[in-house]
Amino acid sequence: MPDRLADTSVPIHPPIACRWSPRAFDAAADVPREDVIALLEAARWAPTWGHRQPVRFIVGLRGDDTFQALSELLRRGNSYARAAGALILLCADEGEDDRTKLYSTVDAGSAMANLLIEAVSRGLIAHPMAGFDVPGTSRAFDLADPLHPVVMIAVGRLAEHATQEIAERDARPRERLPLSEVVLNWDSTAANARFLSEFG
């Protein structure tokens, strides 16, 4: 959808500019197994601190028992994701101390980002969700400490919006803070001010 393109100061990699988190999944469209494997490979090859590789996945394809179990763990506000072709639970082994716990979440974020961009490059949509029963997920899949569920990702094909509420949510403008507010190491000299003004 061209009107969902990110408004960037300079061109960026198209799958990044096109990535957004729609809620309208086509309940009749399957996600090919090859595409699911590609998403997992993209995530597997994300950066990892100290080569720990703490990220783990549980994958459900629509119609199988894992998908059903994952879909039942979604919070009501994310029930739209039950129409997705796949649900992927991303977990992180938090390790034995605060340092490894911190970096396991960094690795999880990197893996999620790779997965989302790979999905866009394959013409799929993907929506990451924190709204699910985390303790229930650990019980359902026998996830013992220090393995912790981080995010569930719905993957599928874009469809017409099932409800007006979802259509309105998906139509909201895509917004980010300007670079001038997120890049902290520029001073307020006139030259830098002119440079920053180019970024809105």
Short mmCIF file of all heavy atoms in Angstrom, two decimals, residues 46-55 93 99-108 110:
data_model
loop_
_atom_site.label_atom_id
_atom_site.label_comp_id
_atom_site.label_asym_id
_atom_site.label_seq_id
_atom_site.Cartn_x
_atom_site.Cartn_y
_atom_site.Cartn_z
N ALA A 46 20.41 -13.07 12.46
CA ALA A 46 20.51 -11.74 13.06
C ALA A 46 21.75 -11.66 13.96
O ALA A 46 22.28 -12.70 14.38
CB ALA A 46 19.26 -11.44 13.87
N PRO A 47 22.22 -10.45 14.26
CA PRO A 47 23.37 -10.32 15.16
C PRO A 47 23.07 -10.95 16.52
O PRO A 47 21.93 -10.95 16.99
CB PRO A 47 23.54 -8.80 15.30
CG PRO A 47 22.88 -8.23 14.09
CD PRO A 47 21.75 -9.15 13.75
N THR A 48 24.12 -11.49 17.15
CA THR A 48 23.95 -12.10 18.47
C THR A 48 25.16 -11.78 19.34
O THR A 48 26.31 -11.92 18.90
CB THR A 48 23.73 -13.62 18.35
OG1 THR A 48 23.58 -14.19 19.66
CG2 THR A 48 24.86 -14.30 17.61
N TRP A 49 24.89 -11.31 20.55
CA TRP A 49 25.96 -10.90 21.46
C TRP A 49 26.76 -12.10 21.93
O TRP A 49 26.22 -13.10 22.40
CB TRP A 49 25.34 -10.19 22.67
CG TRP A 49 26.32 -9.88 23.76
CD1 TRP A 49 27.33 -8.98 23.72
CD2 TRP A 49 26.38 -10.49 25.05
NE1 TRP A 49 28.02 -8.97 24.91
CE2 TRP A 49 27.45 -9.89 25.75
CE3 TRP A 49 25.63 -11.47 25.69
CZ2 TRP A 49 27.81 -10.25 27.05
CZ3 TRP A 49 25.97 -11.84 26.99
CH2 TRP A 49 27.05 -11.22 27.65
N GLY A 50 28.10 -11.99 21.79
CA GLY A 50 28.99 -13.03 22.27
C GLY A 50 28.73 -14.40 21.66
O GLY A 50 29.13 -15.41 22.22
N HIS A 51 28.06 -14.41 20.53
CA HIS A 51 27.71 -15.65 19.83
C HIS A 51 26.85 -16.57 20.71
O HIS A 51 26.86 -17.80 20.54
CB HIS A 51 28.96 -16.40 19.36
CG HIS A 51 28.71 -17.30 18.19
ND1 HIS A 51 28.29 -16.82 16.96
CD2 HIS A 51 28.80 -18.65 18.06
CE1 HIS A 51 28.14 -17.85 16.13
NE2 HIS A 51 28.43 -18.96 16.78
N ARG A 52 26.08 -15.98 21.65
CA ARG A 52 25.24 -16.80 22.55
C ARG A 52 24.08 -17.47 21.82
O ARG A 52 23.66 -18.55 22.18
CB ARG A 52 24.66 -15.93 23.68
CG ARG A 52 25.52 -15.84 24.91
CD ARG A 52 24.71 -15.31 26.09
NE ARG A 52 23.89 -16.37 26.67
CZ ARG A 52 22.59 -16.27 26.88
NH1 ARG A 52 21.92 -15.18 26.52
NH2 ARG A 52 21.92 -17.26 27.42
N GLN A 53 23.51 -16.78 20.83
CA GLN A 53 22.37 -17.32 20.09
C GLN A 53 21.25 -17.78 21.03
O GLN A 53 20.88 -18.95 21.04
CB GLN A 53 22.81 -18.47 19.18
CG GLN A 53 23.92 -18.07 18.20
CD GLN A 53 24.35 -19.22 17.32
OE1 GLN A 53 23.59 -19.70 16.49
NE2 GLN A 53 25.58 -19.66 17.50
N PRO A 54 20.68 -16.85 21.80
CA PRO A 54 19.69 -17.23 22.81
C PRO A 54 18.25 -17.33 22.30
O PRO A 54 17.35 -17.69 23.06
CB PRO A 54 19.78 -16.08 23.82
CG PRO A 54 20.07 -14.89 22.95
CD PRO A 54 20.99 -15.41 21.86
N VAL A 55 18.02 -17.01 21.02
CA VAL A 55 16.65 -16.91 20.52
C VAL A 55 16.14 -18.30 20.09
O VAL A 55 16.83 -19.05 19.42
CB VAL A 55 16.58 -15.91 19.35
CG1 VAL A 55 15.17 -15.82 18.80
CG2 VAL A 55 17.05 -14.53 19.81
N ASP A 93 16.48 -17.12 25.72
CA ASP A 93 17.14 -17.70 26.88
C ASP A 93 17.84 -16.56 27.61
O ASP A 93 18.84 -16.02 27.12
CB ASP A 93 18.14 -18.76 26.41
CG ASP A 93 18.91 -19.41 27.55
OD1 ASP A 93 18.95 -18.83 28.66
OD2 ASP A 93 19.49 -20.48 27.33
N ARG A 99 23.35 -9.28 32.89
CA ARG A 99 24.01 -8.92 31.64
C ARG A 99 23.51 -9.78 30.49
O ARG A 99 23.16 -9.29 29.42
CB ARG A 99 25.52 -9.05 31.79
CG ARG A 99 26.30 -8.46 30.63
CD ARG A 99 27.78 -8.58 30.89
NE ARG A 99 28.55 -7.86 29.87
CZ ARG A 99 29.79 -8.16 29.56
NH1 ARG A 99 30.42 -9.13 30.19
NH2 ARG A 99 30.44 -7.47 28.64
N THR A 100 23.47 -11.10 30.71
CA THR A 100 22.99 -11.97 29.64
C THR A 100 21.50 -11.75 29.39
O THR A 100 21.04 -11.86 28.26
CB THR A 100 23.26 -13.45 29.96
OG1 THR A 100 22.69 -13.78 31.22
CG2 THR A 100 24.74 -13.75 29.97
N LYS A 101 20.75 -11.43 30.44
CA LYS A 101 19.32 -11.14 30.26
C LYS A 101 19.13 -9.92 29.37
O LYS A 101 18.30 -9.91 28.46
CB LYS A 101 18.66 -10.90 31.62
CG LYS A 101 17.17 -10.61 31.53
CD LYS A 101 16.57 -10.46 32.92
CE LYS A 101 15.08 -10.17 32.83
NZ LYS A 101 14.45 -10.05 34.16
N LEU A 102 19.93 -8.86 29.63
CA LEU A 102 19.84 -7.64 28.83
C LEU A 102 20.13 -7.95 27.37
O LEU A 102 19.36 -7.57 26.47
CB LEU A 102 20.82 -6.59 29.35
CG LEU A 102 21.01 -5.36 28.47
CD1 LEU A 102 19.71 -4.56 28.38
CD2 LEU A 102 22.13 -4.48 29.02
N TYR A 103 21.23 -8.63 27.10
CA TYR A 103 21.62 -8.84 25.72
C TYR A 103 20.76 -9.88 25.02
O TYR A 103 20.66 -9.88 23.80
CB TYR A 103 23.11 -9.16 25.63
CG TYR A 103 23.95 -7.92 25.81
CD1 TYR A 103 24.65 -7.69 26.98
CD2 TYR A 103 23.99 -6.95 24.81
CE1 TYR A 103 25.40 -6.53 27.14
CE2 TYR A 103 24.73 -5.79 24.98
CZ TYR A 103 25.43 -5.58 26.15
OH TYR A 103 26.15 -4.43 26.31
N SER A 104 20.12 -10.77 25.78
CA SER A 104 19.20 -11.71 25.13
C SER A 104 18.01 -10.96 24.54
O SER A 104 17.50 -11.34 23.48
CB SER A 104 18.72 -12.77 26.13
OG SER A 104 17.80 -12.23 27.06
N THR A 105 17.57 -9.88 25.20
CA THR A 105 16.46 -9.11 24.64
C THR A 105 16.91 -8.30 23.43
O THR A 105 16.12 -8.09 22.50
CB THR A 105 15.86 -8.16 25.69
OG1 THR A 105 16.86 -7.28 26.20
CG2 THR A 105 15.27 -8.96 26.86
N VAL A 106 18.18 -7.86 23.42
CA VAL A 106 18.72 -7.19 22.23
C VAL A 106 18.72 -8.17 21.06
O VAL A 106 18.30 -7.85 19.94
CB VAL A 106 20.13 -6.65 22.50
CG1 VAL A 106 20.76 -6.09 21.22
CG2 VAL A 106 20.10 -5.57 23.58
N ASP A 107 19.19 -9.38 21.31
CA ASP A 107 19.21 -10.41 20.26
C ASP A 107 17.80 -10.72 19.78
O ASP A 107 17.56 -10.91 18.58
CB ASP A 107 19.87 -11.68 20.79
CG ASP A 107 21.38 -11.60 20.83
OD1 ASP A 107 21.92 -10.49 20.61
OD2 ASP A 107 22.02 -12.64 21.07
N ALA A 108 16.84 -10.79 20.71
CA ALA A 108 15.46 -11.08 20.33
C ALA A 108 14.91 -9.98 19.43
O ALA A 108 14.22 -10.26 18.43
CB ALA A 108 14.59 -11.22 21.58
N SER A 110 16.66 -8.00 17.46
CA SER A 110 17.33 -8.12 16.16
C SER A 110 16.71 -9.23 15.33
O SER A 110 16.47 -9.07 14.12
CB SER A 110 18.82 -8.40 16.35
OG SER A 110 19.46 -7.31 16.98
#
